[in-house]
Amino acid sequence: MTRTATRTTPDGDFLHVWGSKTFGSGLRVLDDVDLSVPRGSVTVLIGPSGSGKTTLLRAVALLAPLDTGCVLLDGRLHGYREAGDGHRVLPERELVRARLGVGMVFQNFNLFPHRTALQNVMLAPVKTLRRPRAEVEEEARALLRRVGLGDRTDNYPAQLSGGQQQRVAIARALAMRPKVMLFDEPTSALDPEMVHEVLGAMKELAESGMTMLIASHEMGFAREVADRVVFMDGGRIVEQGEPEQFFTGTVGPRVREFLDKIL
Amino acid sequence: MNPHPGFLGSLTSGSLWAAAWTTIWLAVVAQLLGLVIGLVMAPLRRSRLAPLRWVSAAYVWFFRGSPELLQILAWYSVLPLVGVDLPVIAVGILGLGVNEGARMTEIVRGALSSVDSGQTDAARVLGLGPWATARWVVLPQAARLIIGPLGNQMNYMFKTTSLVAFIGIVELLRETQQAAQFTNAPLAVYLATATVYLAITSVWGALQRFVEQRVAAGKAAVGPGRVLARRRLSGLIEIPGAHL
């Protein structure tokens, strides 16, 4: 499958993010991180809460840009410009367009409650890409079928289960044809019996060759689907490697301690 | 002194209903002005530019913190001094509407801030700019929260319009005062006027309950019937963004 092909021939830095970020309170939430994600690969971020996983994803999505450092996507600066010997984030006006290359799925789904599943998926392609409605609708229906919700297009979010809502959120992100998909703990807010349907959709996406960066504690999923696992703690990337490493015990004590707690 | 017309005579007087009509349209126009001001001033309060926030805060502080009657009288006497010569009815609308705008600003601000920040995150990641996010994501959700308080404010406004009697606009109160002067039974005249006010606010109350039930039905959205109810409502009150 594509997955295997990309696994053996990753082409380096498809997504590359490095830098630091400090919150107003003086808390250093990202401390000199440096992360590369090869094209078509799946990277799973693990680590205790407050370790900076969400902040890293929000930095890549340009929702909360880095203080120092930069994001590179597909060989280009993503939301940043050169400034002196470093980089500076673009003004908000220009970030609006810059954000288009990256799709994101949130822990709490964040579907628009006043719009049906289909309308959720169609909104951005119609309003921001200004694509013809008929074409967008056809594509949106296909995306909803792809995540197994072809018969739920006219339901409002409140009429869908958590797992279904999260799959709509995945379809909504895909409708913008992102180069990278970010997932921020996509199954943490779900009842256990709904976790697998969301992971199933994500696995299918991975197999189609999508580049994915996922904050998740689903270690079974990481073992099966991920190309790399990255462990964060205290705003730093402490360890990274292939998933098997994390299971066969060749990891440092902090990672070991964390894994013992969640497995 | 004329023979007194009695309660029914007062209630069926053409001039009373003409005045009632003035009260109604004055209240509706002033409330609309207040709503528009609120929709402009509330987002300013959340602006990234500090001076815009200050303008909004100062506006609310001033107009919510001083008596409405004083404001109306002030508009009435100050505008001609600065060379603005408006018909008195326009001064009335301005006085009522600008005052109401301060309260609507607070109502709209509350509604905007109760829309979850995850909604704007999702919109921004999808490439929606600030305007598109407001138009398609935040305002439609805030609108549901504004409708209830807006209805209550409209109810108050029907009665608050009586203040413009002080600058000579012949609405219900002024008409009543005039009618009462020419009768030896003012109580019947006042009762007739009270009846008209009650009729106005009662009809409005019924309308308000109807709309609120429909909004609640849309919010619950638990079955196909509810969805249909919500769609009918969308057409009725034009919740922005209800259709793609």
Side-chain angles (χ1 to χ4, degrees):
Chain A
M1 301 194 79
T2 346
R3 176 98 249 109
T4 328
T6 54
R7 200 190 288 269
T8 50
T9 57
D11 55 351
D13 272 10
F14 185 64
L15 171 69
H16 189 180
V17 50
W18 73 94
S20 300
K21 183 172 181 64
T22 309
F23 278 168
S25 57
L27 179 72
R28 205 162 172 79
V29 277
L30 288 177
D31 190 359
D32 209 12
V33 295
D34 189 334
L35 178 69
S36 280
V37 179
R39 188 193 297 270
S41 73
V42 176
T43 299
V44 171
L45 293 171
I46 61 171
S49 62
S51 60
K53 307 184 295 291
T54 295
T55 311
L56 182 60
L57 292 180
R58 290 176 68 85
V60 173
L62 301 176
L63 286 176
L66 299 159
D67 299 332
T68 62
C70 174
V71 180
L72 279 170
L73 179 61
D74 202 5
R76 287 200 195 146
L77 287 171
H78 178 66
Y80 292 78
R81 59 180 172 80
E82 313 260 359
D85 53 356
H87 300 91
R88 181 165 293 177
V89 72
L90 298 174
E92 176 65 28
R93 201 164 7 91
E94 292 169 50
L95 284 184
V96 171
R97 291 217 71 76
R99 290 196 182 99
L100 290 180
V102 172
M104 186 161 178
V105 171
F106 301 86
Q107 182 173 358
N108 295 319
F109 330 133
N110 293 345
L111 289 184
F112 306 133
H114 56 298
R115 307 182 77 88
T116 64
L118 185 67
Q119 290 171 339
N120 261 277
V121 179
M122 288 177 66
L123 178 68
V126 170
K127 297 301 172 197
T128 66
L129 302 180
R130 311 236 167 241
R131 292 174 50 205
R133 178 186 304 266
E135 180 190 311
V136 170
E137 179 170 342
E138 199 177 319
E139 202 172 298
R141 288 184 186 280
L143 282 168
L144 286 168
R145 277 196 300 276
R146 183 173 166 189
V147 295
L149 294 171
D151 56 343
R152 294 299 204 148
T153 51
D154 292 331
N155 285 138
Y156 287 88
Q159 299 168 313
L160 300 172
S161 73
Q164 291 169 332
Q165 289 189 54
Q166 194 59 300
R167 285 184 284 151
V168 173
I170 293 172
R172 179 175 71 174
L174 289 176
M176 295 301 282
R177 299 172 177 167
K179 294 175 175 172
V180 177
M181 280 284 282
L182 311 177
F183 295 81
D184 187 11
E185 310 233 7
T187 58
S188 301
L190 295 176
D191 291 335
E193 74 268 24
M194 292 165 187
V195 168
H196 76 277
E197 66 189 51
V198 170
L199 293 181
M202 290 167 63
K203 190 178 169 201
E204 187 273 328
L205 191 57
E207 281 164 356
S208 76
M210 176 61 75
T211 308
M212 295 160 71
L213 180 57
I214 304 162
S216 174
H217 291 156
E218 296 290 338
M219 295 308 290
F221 174 82
R223 190 170 199 172
E224 190 184 354
V225 179
D227 299 284
R228 289 191 84 70
V229 173
V230 173
F231 176 78
M232 293 185 71
D233 193 15
R236 296 178 147 270
I237 292 178
V238 176
E239 200 151 341
Q240 50 181 313
E242 294 191 4
E244 280 310 311
Q245 262 179 268
F246 283 77
F247 291 98
T248 50
T250 55
V251 286
R254 277 158 88 188
V255 186
R256 185 74 270 153
E257 187 193 344
F258 174 73
L259 288 176
D260 283 344
K261 278 185 200 149
I262 65 162
L263 288 178
Chain B
M1 196 146 285
N2 301 333
H4 75 78
F7 173 72
L8 282 178
S10 298
L11 197 57
T12 50
S13 127
S15 55
L16 186 72
W17 286 96
W21 172 242
T22 304
T23 287
I24 292 171
W25 78 256
L26 197 62
V28 170
V29 173
Q31 187 62 47
L32 282 176
L33 176 60
L35 174 62
V36 169
I37 293 175
L39 288 173
V40 172
M41 289 304 239
L44 287 193
R45 193 64 175 272
R46 296 150 58 92
S47 167
R48 269 178 302 167
L49 303 172
L52 292 182
R53 289 201 301 272
W54 298 334
V55 165
S56 174
Y59 165 71
V60 171
W61 171 78
F62 185 83
F63 285 97
R64 217 173 48 149
S66 56
E68 250 177 300
L69 182 55
L70 180 71
Q71 291 170 26
I72 291 166
L73 294 173
W75 286 111
Y76 183 69
S77 45
V78 167
L79 286 179
L81 291 183
V82 296
V84 181
D85 199 12
L86 291 177
V88 68
I89 192 84
V91 177
I93 289 169
L94 196 66
L96 292 169
V98 170
N99 178 275
E100 177 59 22
R103 275 187 287 267
M104 285 310 299
T105 300
E106 291 298 276
I107 288 169
V108 174
R109 188 161 76 103
L112 289 178
S113 56
S114 57
V115 175
D116 188 78
S117 68
Q119 292 288 309
T120 40
D121 282 348
R124 289 163 82 203
V125 167
L126 288 167
L128 272 69
W131 286 108
T133 301
R135 170 70 181 82
W136 303 106
V137 177
V138 178
L139 281 180
Q141 296 182 57
R144 298 165 160 270
L145 300 167
I146 293 170
I147 283 172
L150 176 63
N152 295 338
Q153 291 301 113
M154 187 71 247
N155 177 306
Y156 292 132
M157 184 60 88
F158 284 123
K159 294 163 292 180
T160 311
T161 48
S162 56
L163 293 178
V164 299
F166 285 85
I167 56 172
I169 296 175
V170 184
E171 42 62 71
L172 266 175
L173 183 72
R174 181 88 174 172
E175 165 62 26
T176 306
Q177 283 180 318
Q178 287 173 351
Q181 278 176 358
F182 297 103
T183 167
N184 53 8
L187 184 61
V189 181
Y190 290 140
L191 277 177
T193 302
T195 307
V196 174
Y197 272 119
L198 280 169
I200 294 172
T201 51
S202 300
V203 168
W204 176 253
L207 206 71
Q208 198 185 342
R209 273 192 299 282
F210 172 78
V211 170
E212 279 174 4
Q213 274 166 13
R214 294 304 165 130
V215 173
K219 196 163 190 176
V222 286
R226 303 283 187 169
V227 175
L228 285 176
R230 189 179 172 285
R231 283 191 183 150
R232 281 199 300 273
L233 172 69
S234 313
L236 184 68
I237 56 167
E238 292 186 328
I239 290 182
H243 305 285
L244 200 71

